[in-house]
Amino acid sequence: MRRLLPYLTLLALVFPMATCTDKTVEEEHTLLPDSCHLRAGDLVFRRGTGLTSHAVLVADHGGRFSHIGIVTDSAGYIMVVHAVPGEPDYEGDPDRVKMEPAAKFFSTINASLGEVCRPTDSVAARTAADAAMAIYHRKVLFDHQYDDSDTTRMYCTQLVMECYRKAGIELTGPPAHTFNLPGMGCTCWLPSDIYHSPYVQPIYEFK
């Protein structure tokens, strides 16, 4: 769905929330507090700092977050698996499903607000976390078409939905956000759809 992002970005430009400000550049750090203890299967939400993130917020009609990931336990290390465009780890790195430390996921380079939601079913949470790890190891690429019927490529909310689907839980209903734009169209999930799922509850918010 690379073609959709420029349209959303253009939309964001006409809203005050997407205007630039003369803020002092601060040293990079993580928003994640030491007191926040993550568990496998937790859902982590962040509000991005870039124009594309503002565009997602505009499209999400009041949603507070522009991106989502799922927590996994990798040999005792708490990590976040997420499908993300535009965050290469090296030159030539394709947009893909990534796994990185939670502190990096909530780095101030990419996040201005964060929240953790915990599934009400701890068994399903562990199963979903295992599914996320398997998807990461398959080296799944980011889905720029935002096609939820195709799991060979995934976008961020689709990844989370698919992980919990493998655990027997439909976090929310079918994709409900439709974009009909010149040259393309798609229907997809946005972060607020999962945030308001009855199967998860917010436990930490930080900024």
Side-chain angles (χ1 to χ4, degrees):
M1 187 166 161
R2 188 182 298 274
R3 290 176 297 168
L4 177 58
L5 294 180
Y7 290 104
L8 293 180
T9 301
L10 180 62
L11 175 64
L13 285 171
V14 303
F15 283 80
M17 67 181 297
T19 58
C20 298
T21 58
D22 295 326
K23 296 178 65 177
T24 301
V25 177
E26 299 179 355
E27 184 177 354
E28 179 191 357
H29 62 280
T30 184
L31 299 180
L32 185 68
D34 292 338
S35 59
C36 181
H37 301 294
L38 301 175
R39 299 178 185 172
D42 283 352
L43 303 183
V44 286
F45 295 81
R46 76 184 186 198
R47 180 188 298 172
T49 58
L51 191 57
T52 297
S53 296
H54 286 306
V56 173
L57 293 171
V58 170
D60 209 357
H61 300 298
R64 298 192 305 132
F65 302 102
S66 57
H67 190 52
I68 183 175
I70 179 170
V71 175
T72 63
D73 184 332
S74 177
Y77 291 93
I78 294 299
M79 307 289 281
V80 174
V81 173
H82 61 124
V84 62
E87 294 183 20
D89 288 334
Y90 51 87
E91 186 176 355
D93 187 14
D95 295 339
R96 58 186 171 87
V97 173
K98 300 175 63 174
M99 183 170 68
E100 61 190 15
K104 183 178 180 182
F105 180 85
F106 286 115
S107 164
T108 50
I109 290 179
N110 297 317
S112 61
L113 178 69
E115 188 159 350
V116 179
C117 289
R118 181 153 292 164
T120 56
D121 186 330
S122 60
V123 175
R126 290 191 294 272
T127 302
D130 290 342
M133 184 71 75
I135 290 170
Y136 165 73
H137 284 300
R138 291 208 314 265
K139 299 181 179 181
V140 172
L141 297 178
F142 187 86
D143 182 8
H144 289 283
Q145 299 301 317
Y146 283 34
D147 180 3
D148 63 283
S149 67
D150 178 10
T151 57
T152 62
R153 296 173 181 254
M154 295 186 184
Y155 60 96
C156 70
T157 45
Q158 181 191 12
L159 168 66
V160 172
M161 286 292 296
E162 180 66 16
C163 291
Y164 270 89
R165 184 174 290 135
K166 289 183 179 299
I169 291 179
E170 289 287 338
L171 290 174
T172 189
H177 303 275
T178 299
F179 301 93
N180 293 306
L181 301 167
M184 75 159 298
C186 71
T187 302
C188 61
W189 290 288
L190 291 175
S192 67
D193 298 323
I194 296 176
Y195 181 82
H196 294 296
S197 169
Y199 296 102
V200 301
Q201 55 186 6
I203 58 170
Y204 296 103
E205 181 180 344
F206 39 87
K207 60 183 178 180

